Amino acid sequence: MMEIIKKKYGSPGKVIEAAVSDMEALKMPRNDEEVVKFVDSLEAIVRDLKTLDLTGEVANAANMGKIEQKFPDGMKRKWAEEVIKGDYRDKGSVEKFEKMMTFLDLMKETADYCISELRSASGDKRASSNVVAGFVQKYNNDK
């Protein structure tokens, strides 16, 4: 694995630059499907960094801030509550980053659950969802 990455990027510094660039390229999710994709993409980046023992290089306040800026408003509020409840404001960046990834996994599971519920909706009407103020709101596309 290290050989493949060395061939592709050349050095750990370039791997970190590529990871940060990929994080910055993520778009703010606007619905449940996009939440799942957002978290999956971020988890893949973090998994690659963990494989190379480089997570600590990107688990800093600046990068976390860039990720948090991409959260929809409701998700930002829920994350802020988690930070305050867990007293993560004064904890180290790596610990806070790990907590953020756990939080995002929960957001992904929640979105995935909502998608499943929408798919199993009875009747001929198609249902969709939007992330609105942190809550998933169902609405009828046929209106």
Side-chain angles (χ1 to χ4, degrees):
M1 179 67 154
M2 275 300 273
E3 289 305 315
I4 294 169
I5 291 180
K6 278 185 180 179
K7 283 181 185 178
K8 185 172 181 179
Y9 296 104
S11 71
K14 289 188 179 186
V15 172
I16 293 163
E17 287 174 19
V20 170
S21 177
D22 288 349
M23 286 179 189
E24 290 173 346
L26 293 172
K27 304 281 188 226
M28 179 187 293
R30 302 203 187 288
N31 57 49
D32 290 322
E33 290 86 0
E34 290 180 10
V35 169
V36 172
K37 288 178 187 175
F38 176 85
V39 177
D40 281 344
S41 297
L42 192 54
E43 285 175 337
I45 294 165
V46 172
R47 190 172 37 253
D48 290 347
L49 291 170
K50 279 185 180 178
T51 300
L52 301 172
D53 198 28
L54 295 173
T55 309
E57 299 294 327
V58 296
N60 58 55
N63 288 327
M64 282 189 285
K66 290 175 186 177
I67 295 168
E68 289 173 20
Q69 287 175 348
K70 297 178 187 292
F71 293 176
D73 288 339
M75 190 184 288
K76 281 181 191 173
R77 181 169 298 282
K78 286 182 180 185
W79 170 237
E81 290 171 3
E82 287 294 317
V83 169
I84 293 166
K85 260 192 318 190
D87 200 26
Y88 284 93
R89 291 177 284 190
D90 298 326
K91 300 214 172 148
S93 293
V94 173
E95 188 175 358
K96 186 176 177 183
F97 187 80
E98 288 172 1
K99 177 62 178 175
M100 182 176 68
M101 293 308 299
T102 301
F103 167 80
L104 287 172
D105 188 56
L106 177 62
M107 293 295 99
K108 179 177 89 171
E109 287 182 37
T110 302
D112 201 36
Y113 176 82
C114 291
I115 293 167
S116 297
E117 288 296 305
L118 290 172
R119 287 184 185 147
S120 66
S122 60
D124 294 332
K125 297 179 181 177
R126 295 180 334 195
S128 186
S129 69
N130 275 342
V131 178
V132 179
F135 301 99
V136 178
Q137 180 180 24
K138 294 181 184 179
Y139 67 92
N140 186 340
N141 281 339
D142 295 332
K143 288 187 178 179

